[in-house]
Amino acid sequence: MTTSEIRQKYLDFFKEKGHTVVASDLLVPKDDPTLLFTGAGMNQFKEQFMGKNVTYVRATTSQKCLRTGDLENVGKTPRHHTFFEMLGNFSFGDYFKKEAIIWAWEFMTEVMGIPAEKLWISVYTDDDEAYGIWLNEVGIPTGRIVKLGEHDNFWPADAPTKGPNGPCGPCSEIFYDWGEDVGCGEKGCDPSCDCGRFVEVWNLVFTQFERKPDGSLVPLPNKNIDTGMGLERIASVIQDVRTNFDTDIFVPLIDSIKKVTHGLEQPALNLIADHIRAATFCIADGVSPSNEKRGYVVRKLIRRAWLKGKTEGPFLFNLVPLVTGLFREVYPELEEKREHIAAIVEEEEKRFNNTLLSSMPVFENMLEGGAKELKGEQVFKLVDTYGMPFEIIEDLCEEKDVKVQREEFEVLMEQRKEQSRKGSDLESEFIFQPDLFDDAPKPEFSDDLPLDATVAFLVKDGSDGDTLNEGDSGELITSPQSSVFYAESGGQVGDKGILTGENGSMKILNTLQSDGRKIYHVRVEKGSVKAGEEVKLDLDADKKARTAMNHTATHLLQAALMVVLGGHIKQSGSLVDHRRLRFDFTHMKKLSDREALKVEEKVNGWIFERIDVCKEEKSIKQAKEEGALSFFGEKYGDTVRVVTVGEKSKELCGGTHVDNTGDIGLFKITAESSVASGIRRVEAVTGEEVQGWIRDSLKTMLENIRATEGSDTVSHEEIISTAQDIADGRVDVDSSLIKEFDTKLRPELLGIKEKLEKTAKKMKKQKQAGAFDELKIKMDDAAENPESINGVDLVSCLLGDVDMQVLRRAATYLEKRSASSVVLLGGSGDGRAYLVCAVPKDLSQKGISAKEMVGSIAGNIGGSGGGKETFAQAGGSSPEGLEKAIQEAKKYIEQRG
């Protein structure tokens, strides 16, 4: 039986038992910031388990999952994976233990055909109900039922004694017995033994309690069932192979890996197969390699797999078509995105190869002389300076039997993070916690505006409150609620407005939603507001209108990108507010200036055509038949809202939009950048914001031109005068001016600035040449009066306001002038400090290293250094430390002279 057949038989079995077959959720949990990735089948049913949005009481699914907690075991053990599929059946207050147990047994023995004597059962030690069902209803002999404690057979593990508080319950697990010839061979071996004889296949969780803060377990009014069975595990049992990597969904992949690599051992082959599967599914679900959160996990998976392959160039990308082919029937989106996924993987492989080319020599140098430990500061340098991931360093050191000083490294990394936090002007973001409103009322809605209402519920500092005072921020619900205010959803921010009461006023910063409630995130501007107080609610209609302009423009932008760049463009994310719009999409290359201009012209052309924007509700089937675009991973109901812009755009969307494209006014791309591998971002503005952006941009360019040293703009008077008129508002911005800005004004002004900078640089060079002649007097004096330290002559001096280029030239001059002396020079300019050191070859062979010396003193100037044994340099941000650096260099020579 193939893995695909097992998956389908499971879903069909529970469909016959009255379960709704629910499609797998994305690997990226929607609206759940507590999870990095979907790690279990129940994740997408959190609201149903809490009694919310229950449209069906029984569900079954095969869920894509990703876990990285046991990353170091992947490939080494028979059953550890990062990506896997979890088969599950769920009950939301419907059936309970008896049905869950009997159906599980029926599926395993009758549908899968597993001999009953090969299955063992574990139950929680105090769960007499489950024990009785297995014994009396199913007929399992007592010898094959094992009672285990709360660590093994309770969810969450150890919840009764250790928490956390909240829903919990005992569980019962089904084990497959590989036979007495496997494992420890002990006579009393049972599922409590981890020798490998017994493999856990299916876990049945009976969520029947709520753990209270005092540690008591109180029965829940609605009891739930949450089961999970690893598809790869049951496949290994049915196909009678001892490891998941020997099943039909791994063998073709591993065979292909063998062909493109040479002589790899089985654990490495397994790891590569696992990681390329995981990376393929992650990228298909919109997570590309990056240095942040989920993207960092994908980057780590690709890089670990590439490193294990021990090839000279990229090879993983060639495995992507095989992965997508193995899953094309159940996950067709993989096949659709195959080329895009492969391109992203290849780019990441090349990037990592380049990283290793620069970092591996440094790593190898650190281990010269048979070093058996990598110090924390060395690890920090590899990570911070050379970009080598810590996990890769650990893997390399493990292969070479080298210890890593992890604790010291983590201290240094935390110090660096603290420096970054201090240097950042970003304020902490508000994080919406919908769970805080589970017990809040659900008032009726009203179309009135302004709306007279009462504060029905108030939250302050993450808990129920009574009062918000001046300067406080919080969230509240009014009674009645406003049906006019749009709540944040689908990338569009919520509406803003004002709320006034008898004792104060506040700004509505955002409108949010949770289970039929509109929640206002507010900040009190004056006075105070109390729960139960009467207030007047009013909308900021101007911001609402401008947000609608930006949202419709986003739809036009996607349509234009598909026309200009190709049909492979897929939305990867968006943000729409009243000031701007942001659109992320799949594309491997940076947009050229010509492509960006074409996109702008397309969008502005559609705006000036004044096309009506139609918003209507349709069945999801009809909308898809008409070719409406949907956001991959978004879950839609049977009835959807379709936004259509003539024949240019048709999308499923619940956001606010203009009635006619002419209402948008103007459209201008303001930025284009990379978000992650294979994901580009376009930022843009519309309407009056276009005029403001162009004027501000021209003002900045003109200021930069005039600030350039030796600036002479007389010969460019005409273009500068035109730009100044636009910047000062004497010329209106329209579509033709946008084109003139992109094709003429901006390029010419940047060209003028570049030309002026070249002239200024040339003048500076001439000035420095004259200054160098003056410096020779100071250098000659130092050369004639070297300082002798333990028989080593040191020629040192501070040369004042010079840059690194002058300093290096000066060192070369003194090397020739004082061939047998150590030369150490310092200088500063524009708030920076510089050090250059040259050591004669014979002295370097005696233990005096320019690289080591500069490295040891660079901290005094707030920087770091590098170079060779005979020549090294350093730069830093603290010129005041130059004198001390020279003094410490003398101590260095004294110790080694």
Side-chain angles (χ1 to χ4, degrees):
M1 195 183 302
T2 67
T3 301
S4 290
E5 289 171 338
I6 295 170
R7 184 195 296 111
Q8 194 58 51
K9 284 179 181 290
Y10 182 90
L11 297 175
D12 290 344
F13 176 82
F14 280 100
K15 184 178 181 180
E16 291 175 2
K17 302 294 185 185
H19 292 63
T20 298
V21 178
V22 181
S24 172
D25 200 4
L26 293 180
L27 283 172
V28 180
K30 189 176 185 297
D31 299 328
D32 192 345
T34 64
L35 294 175
L36 197 63
F37 289 100
T38 299
M42 58 80 63
N43 289 157
Q44 69 167 313
F45 301 117
K46 275 189 175 181
E47 288 202 337
Q48 285 85 349
F49 279 125
M50 295 171 67
K52 303 176 186 177
N53 300 326
V54 180
T55 55
Y56 40 75
V57 294
R58 298 179 181 184
T60 185
T61 184
S62 180
Q63 174 63 49
K64 298 178 290 186
C65 298
L66 189 80
R67 297 179 185 175
T68 58
D70 294 316
L71 196 62
E72 69 279 0
N73 291 324
V74 173
K76 299 176 183 177
T77 71
R79 284 171 285 277
H80 275 101
H81 298 292
T82 52
F83 172 83
F84 61 96
E85 288 184 80
M86 181 76 80
L87 302 173
N89 55 285
F90 309 92
S91 168
F92 314 119
D94 186 34
Y95 65 84
F96 199 46
K97 291 182 185 179
K98 182 176 179 179
E99 294 87 344
I101 290 172
I102 291 175
W103 289 340
W105 185 256
E106 181 184 346
F107 179 79
M108 294 294 274
T109 57
E110 296 182 21
V111 180
M112 291 291 99
I114 300 174
E117 64 272 14
K118 298 290 286 183
L119 298 176
W120 286 57
I121 308 299
S122 73
V123 296
Y124 177 51
T125 186
D126 293 336
D127 192 355
D128 295 334
E129 182 184 3
Y131 185 89
I133 295 169
W134 284 114
L135 181 66
N136 302 315
E137 301 283 341
V138 178
I140 305 292
T142 56
R144 294 211 315 271
I145 307 176
V146 180
K147 289 187 175 183
L148 300 176
E150 63 180 44
H151 182 74
D152 296 298
N153 273 75
F154 208 93
W155 181 89
D158 301 311
T161 56
K162 298 180 181 179
N165 297 327
C168 60
C171 59
S172 179
E173 295 173 319
I174 301 175
F175 290 82
Y176 181 79
D177 181 5
W178 283 109
E180 295 179 358
D181 58 330
V182 176
C184 64
E186 296 291 332
K187 189 175 181 180
C189 183
D190 64 27
S192 65
C193 181
D194 60 0
C195 66
R197 172 181 168 180
F198 296 92
V199 55
E200 178 218 326
V201 181
W202 202 344
N203 188 11
L204 316 178
V205 179
F206 313 124
T207 312
Q208 65 186 90
F209 300 116
E210 180 181 4
R211 188 184 192 276
K212 295 293 186 179
D214 63 0
S216 61
L217 299 179
V218 179
L220 287 169
N222 291 315
K223 298 175 175 60
N224 301 316
I225 290 293
D226 163 20
T227 84
M229 175 161 60
L231 177 59
E232 292 82 359
R233 287 196 183 190
I234 186 63
S236 73
V237 169
I238 300 303
Q239 295 172 17
D240 194 28
V241 290
R242 296 299 172 87
T243 83
N244 297 356
F245 295 101
D246 291 317
T247 60
D248 63 314
I249 52 171
F250 273 105
V251 169
L253 187 54
I254 290 175
D255 286 344
S256 293
I257 296 168
K258 289 177 181 177
K259 292 176 183 177
V260 295
T261 58
H262 304 286
L264 294 183
E265 294 183 358
Q266 196 62 44
L269 294 168
N270 294 347
L271 181 144
I272 294 169
D274 172 274
H275 284 14
I276 190 58
R277 280 203 334 158
T280 298
F281 273 89
C282 284
I283 295 169
D285 279 4
V287 185
S288 289
S290 71
N291 286 330
E292 300 295 330
K293 298 179 180 177
R294 298 183 180 102
Y296 183 72
V297 173
V298 178
R299 170 159 286 170
K300 183 163 62 175
L301 292 172
I302 294 173
R303 293 185 171 192
R304 290 184 89 230
W306 188 87
L307 205 61
K308 289 291 183 184
K310 297 181 179 179
T311 61
E312 293 184 1
F315 76 98
L316 294 171
F317 75 99
N318 284 321
L319 300 173
V320 171
L322 184 56
V323 176
T324 62
L326 286 168
F327 291 93
R328 69 161 61 93
E329 290 182 8
V330 65
Y331 300 115
E333 68 274 9
L334 284 178
E335 192 72 7
E336 293 170 9
K337 300 177 181 181
R338 180 186 64 196
E339 298 304 321
H340 177 69
I341 297 168
I344 289 176
V345 172
E346 183 180 18
E347 181 184 335
E348 185 60 26
E349 290 183 90
K350 290 178 179 177
R351 184 175 294 173
F352 185 46
N353 187 39
N354 291 335
T355 296
L356 290 183
L357 286 174
S358 62
S359 60
M360 280 303 291
V362 180
F363 174 76
E364 297 290 353
N365 190 46
M366 289 176 176
L367 300 182
E368 276 185 358
K372 287 298 180 183
E373 184 175 56
L374 207 60
K375 296 180 180 178
E377 61 186 29
Q378 292 174 309
V379 180
F380 178 74
K381 184 174 183 178
L382 288 168
V383 173
D384 191 57
T385 305
Y386 295 96
M388 184 181 279
F390 176 74
E391 295 80 8
I392 300 300
I393 297 170
E394 274 195 317
D395 288 345
L396 290 169
C397 287
E398 183 181 350
E399 289 179 6
K400 297 177 181 292
D401 196 26
V402 173
K403 292 182 180 179
V404 178
Q405 281 190 1
R406 183 175 189 140
E407 294 78 10
E408 183 184 347
F409 161 73
E410 289 176 344
V411 170
L412 293 169
M413 279 303 294
E414 188 55 41
Q415 290 173 354
R416 172 53 56 87
K417 289 177 184 177
E418 185 61 30
Q419 289 174 357
S420 298
R421 283 191 287 266
K422 289 179 179 178
S424 171
D425 58 1
L426 293 175
E427 297 180 2
S428 60
E429 294 183 359
F430 161 69
I431 299 176
F432 179 47
Q433 298 173 272
D435 293 355
L436 297 175
F437 299 89
D438 286 347
D439 298 325
K442 293 183 182 180
E444 297 295 319
F445 284 91
S446 170
D447 295 334
D448 293 346
L449 208 63
L451 176 65
D452 291 320
T454 302
V455 177
F457 193 80
L458 189 150
V459 167
K460 178 183 178 182
D461 297 330
S463 60
D464 295 3
D466 296 316
T467 306
L468 291 175
N469 296 310
E470 191 168 318
D472 286 345
S473 293
E475 299 83 56
L476 57 83
I477 297 172
T478 63
S479 177
Q481 304 185 73
S482 172
S483 58
V484 183
F485 272 71
Y486 177 84
E488 181 177 302
S489 180
Q492 178 178 330
V493 301
D495 282 340
K496 297 172 171 53
I498 56 172
L499 224 160
T500 55
E502 184 179 343
N503 300 309
S505 63
M506 65 195 74
K507 281 186 177 180
I508 298 174
L509 305 175
N510 198 4
T511 304
L512 305 142
Q513 60 185 343
S514 174
D515 194 27
R517 306 174 182 90
K518 282 196 178 175
I519 299 159
Y520 303 108
H521 176 46
V522 300
R523 183 179 65 238
V524 181
E525 300 292 301
K526 183 179 179 182
S528 63
V529 64
K530 294 182 178 180
E533 185 178 331
E534 293 184 357
V535 292
K536 188 181 289 291
L537 185 72
D538 206 358
L539 175 73
D540 190 325
D542 178 62
K543 287 179 179 175
K544 185 181 182 76
R546 286 193 280 155
T547 302
M549 289 163 56
N550 284 337
H551 202 151
T552 306
T554 305
H555 285 214
L556 296 179
L557 170 61
Q558 180 171 11
L561 286 166
M562 293 177 73
V563 171
V564 175
L565 301 179
H568 66 279
I569 297 299
K570 304 289 183 187
Q571 180 179 347
S572 183
S574 67
L575 174 66
V576 176
D577 63 21
H578 67 281
R579 295 181 302 270
R580 60 175 181 135
L581 62 96
R582 190 180 77 199
F583 185 74
D584 299 342
F585 58 98
T586 55
H587 190 58
M588 290 304 300
K589 299 178 182 177
K590 172 181 171 60
L591 264 70
S592 67
D593 290 343
R594 182 178 176 80
E595 288 170 335
L597 182 61
K598 281 185 176 180
V599 170
E600 278 184 0
E601 288 177 340
K602 280 285 180 190
V603 175
N604 279 316
W606 294 335
I607 289 171
F608 297 131
E609 284 184 39
R610 299 193 61 79
I611 305 168
D612 286 336
V613 179
C614 177
K615 288 90 68 174
E616 55 188 338
E617 290 192 348
K618 298 183 178 182
S619 70
I620 183 69
K621 182 182 179 182
Q622 182 183 356
K624 288 186 174 181
E625 287 175 351
E626 292 176 359
L629 295 178
S630 59
F631 184 40
F632 176 68
E634 190 75 34
K635 290 187 177 293
Y636 299 98
D638 294 333
T639 302
V640 294
R641 185 167 178 263
V642 182
V643 178
T644 307
V645 186
E647 296 181 355
K648 313 303 180 186
S649 169
K650 186 185 289 286
E651 294 190 35
L652 305 185
C653 181
T656 61
H657 290 270
V658 298
D659 294 324
N660 186 284
T661 58
D663 299 336
I664 299 171
L666 293 167
F667 173 86
K668 177 77 187 77
I669 293 175
T670 59
E672 193 274 350
S673 60
S674 171
V675 179
S677 293
I679 306 293
R680 305 301 300 182
R681 169 173 292 172
V682 165
E683 297 177 57
V685 290
T686 64
E688 293 180 0
E689 293 287 339
V690 175
Q691 298 191 46
W693 186 86
I694 286 181
R695 287 168 180 160
D696 289 344
S697 298
L698 288 173
K699 283 178 183 177
T700 300
M701 283 189 275
L702 290 170
E703 287 170 1
N704 289 338
I705 286 172
R706 290 169 180 140
T708 304
E709 188 177 345
S711 175
D712 178 12
T713 59
V714 175
S715 57
H716 309 287
E717 187 173 347
E718 183 179 348
I719 188 80
I720 287 176
S721 177
T722 300
Q724 192 67 62
D725 286 343
I726 299 169
D728 292 341
R730 290 189 287 273
V731 177
D732 287 336
V733 176
D734 57 20
S735 60
S736 61
L737 196 142
I738 292 175
K739 185 172 182 179
E740 184 181 359
F741 173 85
D742 287 331
T743 60
K744 182 180 179 183
L745 287 173
R746 185 173 177 273
E748 287 194 24
L749 290 173
L750 291 175
I752 291 169
K753 183 175 181 290
E754 185 179 352
K755 186 176 180 181
L756 290 171
E757 285 176 341
K758 284 182 179 179
T759 302
K761 192 174 181 180
K762 186 176 180 180
M763 292 170 60
K764 185 178 180 181
K765 198 170 182 180
Q766 292 170 346
K767 185 179 177 182
Q768 286 178 342
F772 190 77
D773 291 335
E774 296 178 12
L775 290 176
K776 280 184 181 179
I777 300 172
K778 193 171 187 178
M779 290 188 289
D780 288 340
D781 182 60
E784 291 170 7
N785 297 284
E787 184 174 352
S788 181
I789 305 172
N790 281 356
V792 177
D793 285 345
L794 170 67
V795 175
S796 65
C797 62
L798 300 179
L799 298 181
D801 186 10
V802 295
D803 60 18
M804 182 60 81
Q805 188 176 356
V806 173
L807 213 59
R808 287 173 64 94
R809 184 181 172 193
T812 301
Y813 172 78
L814 282 174
E815 271 189 293
K816 296 176 181 177
R817 181 86 163 66
S818 305
S820 60
S821 301
V822 173
V823 175
L824 180 63
L825 300 176
S828 60
D830 298 325
R832 297 283 297 170
Y834 309 102
L835 287 167
V836 170
C837 177
V839 175
K841 190 173 183 179
D842 62 324
L843 288 179
S844 72
Q845 291 172 346
K846 294 178 181 179
I848 297 179
S849 163
K851 178 182 176 181
E852 192 175 71
M853 186 191 307
V854 168
S856 68
I857 66 175
N860 293 289
I861 60 170
S864 59
K868 301 178 181 179
E869 303 303 317
T870 56
F871 194 91
Q873 63 186 47
S877 58
S878 304
E880 66 275 9
L882 284 167
E883 287 279 5
K884 188 176 180 182
I886 297 289
Q887 295 305 314
E888 287 196 4
K890 292 177 182 179
K891 292 179 182 177
Y892 172 88
I893 294 172
E894 186 176 0
Q895 292 169 358
R896 289 163 177 75

